mmCIF file of all heavy atoms in Angstrom:
data_model
loop_
_atom_site.group_PDB
_atom_site.id
_atom_site.type_symbol
_atom_site.label_atom_id
_atom_site.label_comp_id
_atom_site.label_asym_id
_atom_site.label_seq_id
_atom_site.Cartn_x
_atom_site.Cartn_y
_atom_site.Cartn_z
ATOM 1 N N ASN A 11 -1.874 -45.191 252.023
ATOM 2 C CA ASN A 11 -2.180 -43.778 251.795
ATOM 3 C C ASN A 11 -3.561 -43.440 252.338
ATOM 4 O O ASN A 11 -4.527 -44.134 252.054
ATOM 5 C CB ASN A 11 -2.144 -43.456 250.297
ATOM 6 C CG ASN A 11 -0.797 -43.744 249.680
ATOM 7 O OD1 ASN A 11 0.230 -43.400 250.243
ATOM 8 N ND2 ASN A 11 -0.793 -44.400 248.541
ATOM 9 N N ARG A 12 -3.659 -42.375 253.115
ATOM 10 C CA ARG A 12 -4.945 -41.888 253.600
ATOM 11 C C ARG A 12 -5.663 -41.196 252.451
ATOM 12 O O ARG A 12 -5.050 -40.467 251.676
ATOM 13 C CB ARG A 12 -4.738 -40.909 254.752
ATOM 14 C CG ARG A 12 -6.038 -40.470 255.407
ATOM 15 C CD ARG A 12 -5.783 -39.592 256.616
ATOM 16 N NE ARG A 12 -5.091 -40.305 257.660
ATOM 17 C CZ ARG A 12 -5.680 -41.022 258.615
ATOM 18 N NH1 ARG A 12 -6.992 -41.121 258.634
ATOM 19 N NH2 ARG A 12 -4.983 -41.615 259.537
ATOM 20 N N VAL A 13 -6.978 -41.433 252.329
ATOM 21 C CA VAL A 13 -7.754 -40.809 251.255
ATOM 22 C C VAL A 13 -8.654 -39.722 251.830
ATOM 23 O O VAL A 13 -9.035 -39.762 252.993
ATOM 24 C CB VAL A 13 -8.597 -41.841 250.481
ATOM 25 C CG1 VAL A 13 -7.703 -42.842 249.778
ATOM 26 C CG2 VAL A 13 -9.556 -42.559 251.388
ATOM 27 N N SER A 14 -8.982 -38.736 250.995
ATOM 28 C CA SER A 14 -9.815 -37.617 251.451
ATOM 29 C C SER A 14 -11.285 -37.781 251.061
ATOM 30 O O SER A 14 -12.126 -37.045 251.546
ATOM 31 C CB SER A 14 -9.267 -36.304 250.907
ATOM 32 O OG SER A 14 -9.253 -36.350 249.493
ATOM 33 N N LYS A 15 -11.580 -38.750 250.157
ATOM 34 C CA LYS A 15 -12.971 -38.984 249.755
ATOM 35 C C LYS A 15 -13.199 -40.493 249.673
ATOM 36 O O LYS A 15 -12.235 -41.264 249.586
ATOM 37 C CB LYS A 15 -13.279 -38.296 248.430
ATOM 38 C CG LYS A 15 -12.387 -38.694 247.288
ATOM 39 C CD LYS A 15 -12.698 -37.900 246.043
ATOM 40 C CE LYS A 15 -11.729 -38.291 244.930
ATOM 41 N NZ LYS A 15 -11.983 -37.577 243.720
ATOM 42 N N PRO A 16 -14.451 -40.943 249.703
ATOM 43 C CA PRO A 16 -14.736 -42.374 249.682
ATOM 44 C C PRO A 16 -14.176 -43.079 248.445
ATOM 45 O O PRO A 16 -14.138 -42.498 247.358
ATOM 46 C CB PRO A 16 -16.261 -42.441 249.681
ATOM 47 C CG PRO A 16 -16.711 -41.138 250.218
ATOM 48 C CD PRO A 16 -15.661 -40.148 249.794
ATOM 49 N N ILE A 17 -13.748 -44.320 248.628
ATOM 50 C CA ILE A 17 -13.266 -45.141 247.514
ATOM 51 C C ILE A 17 -14.484 -45.747 246.834
ATOM 52 O O ILE A 17 -15.317 -46.374 247.480
ATOM 53 C CB ILE A 17 -12.319 -46.239 248.025
ATOM 54 C CG1 ILE A 17 -11.081 -45.598 248.657
ATOM 55 C CG2 ILE A 17 -11.935 -47.187 246.903
ATOM 56 C CD1 ILE A 17 -10.171 -46.572 249.358
ATOM 57 N N THR A 18 -14.615 -45.551 245.525
ATOM 58 C CA THR A 18 -15.794 -46.034 244.800
ATOM 59 C C THR A 18 -15.450 -47.059 243.726
ATOM 60 O O THR A 18 -16.330 -47.528 243.023
ATOM 61 C CB THR A 18 -16.533 -44.850 244.140
ATOM 62 O OG1 THR A 18 -15.625 -44.168 243.272
ATOM 63 C CG2 THR A 18 -17.074 -43.889 245.192
ATOM 64 N N THR A 19 -14.175 -47.405 243.591
ATOM 65 C CA THR A 19 -13.762 -48.424 242.631
ATOM 66 C C THR A 19 -13.177 -49.608 243.397
ATOM 67 O O THR A 19 -12.620 -49.431 244.476
ATOM 68 C CB THR A 19 -12.707 -47.879 241.653
ATOM 69 O OG1 THR A 19 -11.598 -47.390 242.399
ATOM 70 C CG2 THR A 19 -13.267 -46.766 240.797
ATOM 71 N N PRO A 20 -13.315 -50.827 242.863
ATOM 72 C CA PRO A 20 -12.802 -51.995 243.581
ATOM 73 C C PRO A 20 -11.272 -52.057 243.558
ATOM 74 O O PRO A 20 -10.663 -52.431 242.568
ATOM 75 C CB PRO A 20 -13.422 -53.176 242.833
ATOM 76 C CG PRO A 20 -13.773 -52.657 241.487
ATOM 77 C CD PRO A 20 -14.031 -51.194 241.653
ATOM 78 N N VAL A 21 -10.655 -51.618 244.641
ATOM 79 C CA VAL A 21 -9.205 -51.668 244.810
ATOM 80 C C VAL A 21 -8.916 -52.293 246.164
ATOM 81 O O VAL A 21 -9.784 -52.354 247.030
ATOM 82 C CB VAL A 21 -8.571 -50.252 244.753
ATOM 83 C CG1 VAL A 21 -8.733 -49.645 243.386
ATOM 84 C CG2 VAL A 21 -9.137 -49.348 245.819
ATOM 85 N N MET A 22 -7.681 -52.781 246.364
ATOM 86 C CA MET A 22 -7.319 -53.342 247.651
ATOM 87 C C MET A 22 -7.277 -52.217 248.686
ATOM 88 O O MET A 22 -6.669 -51.174 248.447
ATOM 89 C CB MET A 22 -5.949 -54.020 247.583
ATOM 90 C CG MET A 22 -5.595 -54.744 248.864
ATOM 91 S SD MET A 22 -4.102 -55.728 248.737
ATOM 92 C CE MET A 22 -2.865 -54.459 248.966
ATOM 93 N N LYS A 23 -7.972 -52.415 249.813
ATOM 94 C CA LYS A 23 -7.960 -51.414 250.870
ATOM 95 C C LYS A 23 -8.052 -52.121 252.208
ATOM 96 O O LYS A 23 -8.433 -53.287 252.294
ATOM 97 C CB LYS A 23 -9.096 -50.410 250.702
ATOM 98 C CG LYS A 23 -10.481 -51.001 250.784
ATOM 99 C CD LYS A 23 -11.534 -49.918 250.588
ATOM 100 C CE LYS A 23 -12.911 -50.459 250.853
ATOM 101 N NZ LYS A 23 -13.902 -49.422 250.933
ATOM 102 N N ILE A 24 -7.689 -51.422 253.251
ATOM 103 C CA ILE A 24 -7.727 -51.967 254.602
ATOM 104 C C ILE A 24 -8.840 -51.265 255.357
ATOM 105 O O ILE A 24 -8.778 -50.065 255.591
ATOM 106 C CB ILE A 24 -6.374 -51.768 255.317
ATOM 107 C CG1 ILE A 24 -5.279 -52.482 254.532
ATOM 108 C CG2 ILE A 24 -6.442 -52.256 256.750
ATOM 109 C CD1 ILE A 24 -3.890 -52.216 255.022
ATOM 110 N N GLY A 25 -9.889 -52.004 255.741
ATOM 111 C CA GLY A 25 -10.990 -51.443 256.515
ATOM 112 C C GLY A 25 -11.950 -50.629 255.673
ATOM 113 O O GLY A 25 -11.838 -50.524 254.463
ATOM 114 N N GLY A 26 -12.946 -50.071 256.347
ATOM 115 C CA GLY A 26 -13.944 -49.256 255.664
ATOM 116 C C GLY A 26 -15.073 -50.087 255.098
ATOM 117 O O GLY A 26 -15.136 -51.295 255.266
ATOM 118 N N GLN A 27 -15.987 -49.419 254.426
ATOM 119 C CA GLN A 27 -17.137 -50.078 253.823
ATOM 120 C C GLN A 27 -16.725 -50.781 252.537
ATOM 121 O O GLN A 27 -15.832 -50.322 251.834
ATOM 122 C CB GLN A 27 -18.240 -49.052 253.533
ATOM 123 C CG GLN A 27 -18.821 -48.410 254.776
ATOM 124 C CD GLN A 27 -19.511 -49.440 255.649
ATOM 125 O OE1 GLN A 27 -20.241 -50.289 255.176
ATOM 126 N NE2 GLN A 27 -19.252 -49.370 256.938
#
Side-chain angles (χ1 to χ4, degrees):
N11 301 315
R12 186 175 296 272
V13 296
S14 59
K15 57 184 177 180
I17 297 172
T18 57
T19 57
V21 294
M22 186 172 81
K23 62 181 188 169
I24 300 172
Q27 295 297 316

